[in-house]
Amino acid sequence: MQIENKTVVVTGANRGIGRALVVEFLGRGVKRIYATARKLESLPDFHDPRVVPVQLDITDPANVQAAAKAASDASILVNNAGVAAFTSLLGKEPALFERDMRTNYYGTLDMMRAFIPVLEGKREAAIVNVVTMAAFVNLPVLGAYSASKAALFSASQGIRIELAPRGISVHTVNPGPIDTEMARPLAMEKTSPEATATSIVDGLVAGDADIFPDPGARQMFEVWKGGYRQLEKLVHDMHHGAG
């Protein structure tokens, strides 16, 4: 895929991977980037006139439709916005479980539905969904988040199949531990958002359907390929302090 002179939408562009992706796309010569956040004042100053700030709450259907109308020239949609509740599925906070699913799954699904008419007919159009390696194995400390991202991975597969004849490629991004505010409570080695963003765009250019943008993700995926229960055992041992 050619990135130069494309128009891109990046949701959740105010921090972490989203912010780093905006900078990375700018460095690759894109024509325009719609950088979205729930609160416009949370967006950094990217010091580039190609960046168009857009207020967007992906859980608000009317807001999503307005964003699709505003970004009618987009040919790449990067669904990065998401939330994560650090809580067990056995906890007593159903509102947090529902928030994760409503944002990470239903909100992203609404974004895809709204932008497909925008992307259709564009040359080399793409949807890039930032999922997580937690879609491959549920992390008990992020139980609802993991489940919501597993649902998003499954939806991405189905939509990829549906859109194949319509000229829109669908990619998943499955990071491991990244040094973002969201992952701050996790005590493990992490990859920088900037290095992650570079790997994501490299994977998009290469046409990778599923992108594993950091060493931790690639290591976990190799374990999963050898047997998904082996990855579950790895998480089990980490969770219970074994080994």
Side-chain angles (χ1 to χ4, degrees), residues 19-114:
R19 177 177 180 169
L21 278 169
V22 171
V23 174
E24 184 68 28
F25 277 120
L26 289 171
R28 303 285 183 119
V30 298
K31 180 180 179 181
R32 182 177 295 111
I33 299 181
Y34 295 97
T36 88
R38 280 181 291 178
K39 297 180 179 180
L40 283 179
E41 60 269 24
S42 71
L43 284 169
D45 186 349
F46 291 102
H47 303 287
D48 195 304
R50 291 174 292 168
V51 178
V52 180
V54 176
Q55 189 278 324
L56 174 62
D57 178 351
I58 67 171
T59 67
D60 181 338
N63 204 183
V64 168
Q65 291 296 327
K69 185 176 181 180
S72 61
D73 55 339
S75 55
I76 299 174
L77 168 65
V78 181
N79 285 311
N80 169 72
V83 295
F86 279 82
T87 183
S88 162
L89 284 169
L90 301 179
K92 298 179 180 179
E93 298 172 297
L96 290 178
F97 308 157
E98 292 167 6
R99 185 199 66 167
D100 279 11
M101 190 63 74
R102 185 170 63 251
T103 305
N104 301 334
Y105 178 60
Y106 289 112
T108 305
L109 185 58
D110 282 348
M111 284 291 293
M112 288 190 278
R113 289 170 170 163

Side-chain angles (χ1 to χ4, degrees), residues 13 15 26-27 30 58 62 76 88 106 112 119 130 142 169 173 189 194 197 199 224:
R15 60 186 181 183
L26 289 171
V30 298
I58 67 171
I76 299 174
S88 162
Y106 289 112
M112 288 190 278
L119 301 176
V130 178
L142 288 162
S169 61
V173 176
E189 187 174 346
E194 293 76 19
S199 293
W224 183 88

